[in-house]
Amino acid sequence: MAYFDAASAAPLHPVARQALLASLDEGWADPARLYREGRRARLLLDAAREAAAEAVGCRADELVFTPSGTRAVHSGVAGALAGRRRVGRHLIVSAVEHFSVLHAAEELERDGGTVTQVPVDRAGAVDAGAFAAALGDDTALACLQSANHEVGTEQPVAQVAEACRAAGVPLLVDAAQSLGWGKVQADWSLLTASAHKWGGPSGVGLLAVRKGVRFAPQGAADERESGRAPGFENLPAIVAAAASLRAVRAEAAQEAARLRELTERIRARVPGLVPDVEVVGDAVRRLPGIVTFSCLYVDGETLLHELDRAGFSVSSGSSCTSSTLTPSHVLKAMGVLTEGNVRVSLPPGTPAEDVERFLEVLPGAVAAVRERLGAPAAAESAPQTGADLVVDAIGRRCPIPVIELAKVIGDVPVGGTVRVLSDDEAARLDIPAWCEMRGQEYVGEEREERGTAYLVRRIT
């Protein structure tokens, strides 16, 4: 089985396993106690903090360990907002942040604060100028990920940090996806990360708060981890997390070059192997191991099952793989095709042979799903009939509305329109994306009693 979902959780690094097993014997005692076992545990905790702080690029007394990356984000956002309450209650985030950041923003709004979401371009990157323009006198905190978790696009963190510094606003950087590859090269104020993203054990997050940043920990007071992460430390997991972070950093430069070549191979060859595919995310400014593409006329969940049966574990941002039946907020913010979405995220050590086998299997898997759904062939056309057609796809989920559109576009003459009726949120993204890929004109949408009508004019 080839595991291609490292952006969700990387396999446990061998160094993490060794450190975890060793510290189970040596680090089980309370590091706050003064007897021998407690002192031994404290030495392990201090050494782990020093190692993690060196990897992050901060002082050891600026970093605390949390029970997860999500907890690190929530604690960081809440503490920074509380510390700057006198300034205001305005928070700035990008539209493609991890849900942990967006949920923290929603919590602020429910409590009466205001949130500005800075949009991204079609590659998934924010514009540093637009981010700077959102800063105001009442802005208490800004949040920006170092790189996106779904498409791998790197963000202009250094430029945004410079603008925040000039405005006197602290910047929280979610470095969960990038920290294993290197330090965040920017003048950030707060930083969060999660060990299971770089091959450490799950249940360990990092929160770094620079000295001088106004910060007021929220919740009941606790003497552990500077009061910012209450509860008994999971010392074996913390030691394993710090050890594995140091290990992956030592391998990062060489492994990044190798994985970048493999993902570039996927980016370059998939459009030639599979018709009607859109590769998404920035082609240059991206993480080494992530590549994402979307396939027209494909049910994402069915495609994932096909690839799983063929021996490949991948993930998807398609709405048809979600219980909410809404597409990924990242793909939605980018305005790209969402149906049949596949994210390949290669863990360190992935053999080139596995990538080649994936490229061999993918065309057949996509073709099988399309055939099952009755999708049109790439060059399929039909005799021209009337000037306008209506496709009723109410109650039918992705990718059926687009499939039905593709089947009938040839039935109208050049200049004629097809009106697609749909109540599927994904249609709002996928129909315009289909038009761009197929050279047709997306006219717009109109509200209908039973959903929305999406108008497409035939150009070619």
Side-chain angles (χ1 to χ4, degrees):
M1 192 75 179
Y3 180 77
F4 286 179
D5 195 22
S8 294
L12 193 66
H13 194 282
V15 168
R17 183 182 300 277
Q18 294 168 7
L20 182 63
L21 293 175
S23 57
L24 285 172
D25 291 330
E26 297 294 326
W28 51 267
D30 187 346
R33 299 304 178 212
L34 299 180
Y35 43 70
R36 181 183 304 170
E37 295 85 356
R39 294 197 306 272
R40 189 161 51 219
R42 185 71 197 188
L43 287 173
L44 289 173
L45 180 59
D46 289 346
R49 197 184 314 277
E50 290 280 355
E54 181 183 1
V56 167
C58 67
R59 292 168 35 162
D61 59 355
E62 293 175 329
L63 183 143
V64 298
F65 295 104
T66 66
S68 68
T70 294
R71 181 64 63 84
V73 167
H74 290 173
S75 298
V77 171
L81 290 173
R84 287 174 49 83
R85 183 181 290 269
R86 291 183 180 179
V87 173
R89 306 198 66 208
H90 176 227
L91 172 66
I92 301 174
V93 301
S94 84
V96 294
E97 294 298 310
H98 188 271
F99 268 131
S100 60
V101 174
L102 298 183
H103 289 161
E106 291 170 0
E107 181 68 21
L108 174 64
E109 287 184 310
R110 284 192 293 268
D111 196 35
T114 59
V115 176
T116 297
Q117 274 199 16
V118 181
V120 297
D121 60 21
R122 196 171 176 83
V126 300
D127 177 75
F131 207 103
L135 295 165
D137 293 337
D138 64 339
T139 304
L141 178 67
C143 299
L144 181 63
Q145 60 192 192
S146 54
N148 187 258
H149 49 290
E150 290 196 29
V151 299
T153 297
E154 295 179 332
Q155 300 293 351
V157 178
Q159 297 95 309
V160 170
E162 184 178 349
C164 289
R165 176 69 63 181
V169 175
L171 174 67
L172 184 152
V173 175
D174 172 14
Q177 288 297 335
S178 71
L179 191 60
W181 297 111
K183 296 177 183 177
V184 175
Q185 302 297 330
D187 193 10
W188 48 266
S189 302
L190 303 95
L191 182 142
T192 62
S194 186
H196 72 275
K197 300 290 187 180
W198 67 66
S202 58
V204 179
L206 304 181
L207 169 61
V209 182
R210 296 282 197 197
K211 293 295 183 184
V213 174
R214 291 186 178 275
F215 191 90
Q218 298 301 285
D222 193 287
E223 72 277 7
R224 297 180 186 274
E225 294 300 298
S226 304
R228 296 173 182 174
F232 197 97
E233 298 93 346
N234 184 352
L235 188 53
I238 287 172
V239 170
S244 58
L245 180 56
R246 176 178 286 179
V248 298
R249 280 291 190 81
E251 306 160 354
Q254 182 176 354
E255 193 61 22
R258 198 181 69 84
L259 291 187
R260 199 174 292 279
E261 189 280 325
L262 293 179
T263 52
E264 185 56 40
R265 193 182 303 183
I266 297 173
R267 288 182 66 90
R269 289 174 56 183
V270 164
L273 294 170
V274 181
D276 298 314
V277 164
E278 181 179 11
V279 181
V280 301
D282 196 289
V284 178
R285 292 182 55 83
R286 59 187 175 86
L287 291 175
I290 298 178
V291 57
T292 306
F293 54 90
S294 300
C295 308
L296 273 176
Y297 319 134
V298 169
D299 174 339
E301 184 172 5
T302 304
L303 179 56
L304 261 58
H305 286 316
E306 285 287 329
L307 292 172
D308 183 49
R309 281 194 289 269
F312 296 95
S313 302
V314 299
S315 64
S316 172
S318 294
S319 62
C320 38
T321 63
S322 168
S323 60
T324 62
L325 295 178
T326 57
S328 150
H329 72 282
V330 172
L331 301 179
K332 183 176 181 180
M334 293 168 62
V336 298
L337 182 69
T338 70
E339 65 184 52
N341 178 260
V342 173
R343 180 186 68 181
V344 173
S345 49
L346 306 177
T350 298
E353 294 78 11
D354 284 356
V355 171
E356 285 298 323
R357 190 166 64 86
F358 175 77
L359 292 171
E360 292 174 5
V361 165
L362 181 66
V366 173
V369 175
R370 285 175 172 167
E371 182 179 8
R372 202 174 306 162
L373 293 171
E380 185 174 307
S381 62
Q384 298 177 9
T385 56
D388 301 284
L389 279 176
V390 175
V391 172
D392 188 348
I394 296 293
R396 310 183 73 186
R397 302 301 176 189
C398 77
I400 301 304
V402 178
I403 288 177
E404 296 304 315
L405 166 63
K407 285 180 176 179
V408 302
I409 191 68
D411 293 354
V412 298
V414 172
T417 61
V418 177
R419 190 180 184 89
V420 183
L421 304 179
S422 176
D423 55 357
D424 182 9
E425 178 67 22
R428 180 169 281 108
L429 299 173
D430 292 347
I431 290 176
W434 178 89
C435 291
E436 184 171 332
M437 294 172 72
R438 288 301 199 145
Q440 310 298 345
E441 179 186 358
Y442 178 66
V443 179
E445 63 179 69
E446 297 176 358
R447 292 297 302 169
E448 294 281 345
E449 183 177 348
R450 294 190 304 138
T452 302
Y454 300 94
L455 279 65
V456 176
R457 180 176 291 116
R458 182 179 178 188
I459 301 300
T460 61

